[in-house]
């Protein structure tokens, strides 16, 4: 196993890594390894998420699907002035 030291890490980035690691009850080191592996395509996203469970629904819309969705939901943007009273 190799070790890696990250010099001059931005305070905001370090705080985000710490916050996320605390949320997941894992070490900052473990979180960083998971994030690097995911970013490099070495494993499916697993950092506190279950993206693979929803993979069939993510990013799979065609232009026709989008058009159909927008057509079917266009009424949601209409506000009836009588409802303001």
């Amino acid at each position: 196993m190799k070790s890696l030291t990250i010099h001059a890490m931005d305070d905001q980035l370090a705080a985000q890594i710490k916050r996320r690691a605390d949320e997941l009850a894992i070490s900052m080191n473990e979180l960083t390894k998971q994030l690097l592996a995911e970013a490099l395509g070495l494993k499916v996203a697993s950092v506190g998420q279950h993206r693979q469970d929803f993979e069939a629904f993510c990013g799979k819309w065609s232009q026709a699907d989008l058009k159909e969705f927008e057509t079917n939901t266009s009424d949601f943007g209409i506000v009836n002035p009588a409802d303001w009273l």
Side-chain angles (χ1 to χ4, degrees), residues 2 17 25 46 48 71 84:
K2 299 287 183 183
I17 292 172
S46 63
T71 299
W84 293 9

Side-chain angles (χ1 to χ4, degrees), residues 30-45:
E30 182 60 31
L31 176 63
T32 302
K33 290 189 306 184
Q34 289 180 16
L35 290 169
L36 286 169
E38 179 184 332
L40 294 170
L42 299 176
K43 67 179 186 177
V44 175

Side-chain angles (χ1 to χ4, degrees), residues 43-71:
K43 67 179 186 177
V44 175
S46 63
V47 182
Q49 301 172 14
H50 302 285
R51 293 182 193 163
Q52 63 272 18
D53 293 346
F54 301 100
E55 189 173 300
F57 306 106
C58 298
K60 303 290 183 174
W61 282 20
S62 67
Q63 286 298 322
D65 292 335
L66 176 59
K67 183 175 180 172
E68 180 182 0
F69 175 80
E70 289 176 339
T71 299

Side-chain angles (χ1 to χ4, degrees), residues 8-22:
M9 182 181 293
D10 175 278
D11 288 342
Q12 184 179 13
L13 177 59
Q16 287 294 327
I17 292 172
K18 172 131 180 54
R19 181 190 58 78
R20 185 75 176 272
D22 289 347

